[in-house]
Amino acid sequence: MHLDRRGFLKFAGITGAAAALAACGGPSTGGGGPAAVPEVDYSGVQPAKEITWWTNNPGSSETVSRQIIDAYQRANPGTKVNLVTAGATYEEIAQRFQTAQAGGGSQLPDLVVLSDVWWFRYYMQRSIVPMDPLIAATGIDTADYRQQLIEDYRYDGKLWALPWARSTPIFYYNKAHWQKAGLPDRAPATWAEMAEWGPRLQAAGTGAQKAYQLPALADYAGWSFQNNLWGEGGAWSDEWDVTCDSPEAVRAVSALQNAVTSGWAGVAATDGTTDLGAGAVSATVGSTGSLVTVLDAARFDVGAGFLPAGPVAGPVCPTGGAGLGIPAGVPPERQLAAAAFAKFLTSPENTVLFSQATGYLPLRTSADTGPLLAETPLRKIAIDQLDRTRTQDRARAFFPGADQEIARTCANILNQRADVQGELTTLKGTLTRIFDTDVKPNI
């Protein structure tokens, strides 16, 4: 059966982790969740000479990934890394990874790219291994990773992935449009300030359709709108408690709706950064992973800045992107070899190489980012904003299918002008059911 992104997310939202776990024998009913993945003693294990890495080549990164693989194979004669494009998106990789689990170790990759909203369901499914023993066996220096990025994969006292294609949303703007509207050459400090600037940009005769483009809801609503909610003192959830209908959350989403109904803001159909690059809008919020694409596409000077602050907190920003996980269903020698390659893949030198080619964040604090910043000074915005990041709300990142439900709710509010309080109250009920059915039995 073929599922497109929307169809697969619907499938995931309906069946969730419960169906995935059923394929592996079902969740435990003893109150403690499924049995933990046994930790392996790798001290006597010889790493395999050949492994397979599944990726979706985030940020059009296949060329640089193959370059890194070639360097690894030269440094480790007799080893082989097979790069497989397992899908065009994180969702397609997840679909293929789920199917492969039914076939056992021979069908599984040894290293797999898992996005911020997919890795936790594989923890619940017990289909990825804890990285801690592999980190010890291969000598990975976790202290040298940017802690805001690596700690996103820690749960239940263990680390379940290493960071790879990590990003944050940042504010992009067209400097020429800003100048024509008489605005200072910077991102707005607060969303209240953007609400003042929006009508000025809209009336400035820039040729843009909208002063500001909210990012495409299917990909960004649950992620980037956390900034808006947090800035008002709200959140999608507080730990496991769903709080998306709180007065603070209602105020945050109402402000977004007001921006659209006022006429100076629109909602991207596919990609706000593409709209910006084409000159159709004056500003948008997009991933740092889109930086290279935006700069290549734009025929104007691009400005960038931190996400605007709210009245309660800010500037505050979520992290996102993808990490590298190792399946539990492959033999220890392949797990060990995969960890050794992941160590090389995320080395200080290679994280700069990957960042240079894509715009994703350099992962290591010891990485020499000087040449990177000299080539593209705007990258410093994303790196500096890491000090203002916050771990994502569990309802968005840990609840299977929640991202789709949040996007659907935001579409009703922003595109259909639905009642904010009513929609968010309905969303709370939906997310609570997902937790009770698909999450609570498996943690």
Side-chain angles (χ1 to χ4, degrees), residues 18-29 34 125:
L21 285 157
C24 301
S28 166
T29 56
Q125 192 176 325

Side-chain angles (χ1 to χ4, degrees), residues 30-81:
V37 175
E39 290 196 5
V40 177
D41 179 5
Y42 295 96
S43 58
V45 176
Q46 292 297 314
K49 293 297 184 182
E50 183 172 350
I51 61 168
T52 298
W53 174 29
W54 280 11
T55 178
N56 63 315
N57 305 309
S60 302
S61 57
E62 181 175 357
T63 299
V64 69
S65 293
R66 292 194 181 279
Q67 183 179 343
I68 293 171
I69 288 172
D70 290 343
Y72 182 73
Q73 293 176 157
R74 288 194 301 271
N76 298 272
T79 64
K80 183 178 181 182
V81 177

Side-chain angles (χ1 to χ4, degrees), residues 223-273:
W223 184 43
S224 69
F225 289 175
Q226 288 171 116
N227 156 261
N228 302 87
L229 268 66
W230 295 344
E232 285 281 356
W236 298 124
S237 65
D238 179 6
E239 297 291 333
W240 298 118
D241 295 328
V242 179
T243 60
C244 65
D245 68 339
S246 70
E248 296 83 2
V250 170
R251 282 198 300 270
V253 179
S254 294
L256 294 171
Q257 187 186 61
N258 289 339
V260 175
T261 56
S262 296
W264 58 266
V267 181
T270 55
D271 189 344
T273 56

Side-chain angles (χ1 to χ4, degrees), residues 129-132 135 142 150-151 153-154 157-162:
V129 299
M131 296 294 295
D132 307 82
I135 286 168
T142 56
I150 195 170
E151 287 299 314
Y153 303 107
R154 193 175 300 282
K158 298 181 177 66
L159 199 64
W160 297 93
L162 288 176

Side-chain angles (χ1 to χ4, degrees), residues 70-236:
D70 290 343
Y72 182 73
Q73 293 176 157
R74 288 194 301 271
N76 298 272
T79 64
K80 183 178 181 182
V81 177
N82 300 303
L83 185 145
V84 174
T85 301
T89 65
Y90 296 133
E91 289 76 23
E92 290 180 8
I93 289 183
Q95 180 185 7
R96 184 167 175 176
F97 184 51
Q98 187 63 52
T99 301
Q101 290 176 57
S106 62
Q107 303 298 316
L108 289 168
D110 305 299
L111 190 68
V112 60
V113 169
L114 300 173
S115 83
D116 53 348
V117 296
W118 285 98
W119 77 265
F120 191 75
R121 70 191 69 198
Y122 294 124
Y123 159 78
M124 293 193 292
Q125 192 176 325
R126 307 308 191 253
S127 59
I128 53 176
V129 299
M131 296 294 295
D132 307 82
L134 289 163
I135 286 168
T138 55
I140 295 174
D141 180 11
T142 56
D144 188 46
Y145 290 82
R146 296 182 186 275
Q147 294 306 293
Q148 304 96 322
L149 303 180
I150 195 170
E151 287 299 314
D152 282 344
Y153 303 107
R154 193 175 300 282
Y155 182 77
D156 195 26
K158 298 181 177 66
L159 199 64
W160 297 93
L162 288 176
W164 167 233
R166 298 308 311 278
S167 61
T168 63
I170 60 174
F171 190 94
Y172 293 99
Y173 64 97
N174 184 320
K175 288 194 172 193
H177 291 186
W178 247 236
Q179 184 178 22
K180 191 162 188 178
L183 300 177
D185 186 12
R186 60 172 175 82
T190 65
W191 286 113
E193 186 172 52
M194 186 61 207
E196 296 174 1
W197 291 1
R200 290 175 59 182
L201 283 159
Q202 195 70 22
T206 63
Q209 297 170 15
K210 295 293 180 181
Y212 177 71
Q213 189 83 309
L214 276 74
L217 302 179
D219 296 317
Y220 280 88
W223 184 43
S224 69
F225 289 175
Q226 288 171 116
N227 156 261
N228 302 87
L229 268 66
W230 295 344
E232 285 281 356
W236 298 124

